[in-house]
Amino acid sequence: MAQNADQILTTGEAAALCGVSRSTLRRAVAQGHLQAWHTPGKHLRFTRSACLDFARSLGRVDLVGQAYAGAAQESIAR
């Protein structure tokens, strides 16, 4: 398997790692703040290292690896 820094993450995994919502990640990609690519099925994929760099740029290093606070509320609403 590839090194941990090159691990490929889904949008949900990347959001949890960065401590932000999935919509924040999509917005960051659209604005060019975070590198990602689309699979043939149009799903976004991220590298772990790109996500960590993004979290550091936000000053959210303390939240790296912690779930987005709204995730619990979103799952309850479903």
Side-chain angles (χ1 to χ4, degrees):
M1 182 164 198
Q3 290 180 347
N4 220 12
D6 295 328
Q7 182 179 6
I8 297 172
L9 304 175
T10 65
T11 305
E13 293 167 338
L17 178 66
C18 294
V20 297
S21 69
R22 290 179 292 188
S23 61
T24 298
L25 283 185
R26 288 190 290 271
R27 189 172 38 254
V29 170
Q31 294 174 348
H33 299 293
L34 175 60
Q35 289 186 337
W37 67 94
H38 287 93
T39 66
K42 304 296 183 199
H43 296 277
L44 278 175
R45 293 296 181 258
F46 306 83
T47 62
R48 182 178 176 85
S49 59
C51 291
L52 292 175
D53 290 343
F54 176 67
R56 284 186 196 101
S57 75
L58 294 176
R60 300 184 68 104
V61 178
D62 59 321
L63 295 178
V64 169
Q66 295 183 19
Y68 167 61
Q73 294 172 350
E74 289 173 6
S75 66
I76 292 171
R78 292 183 195 167

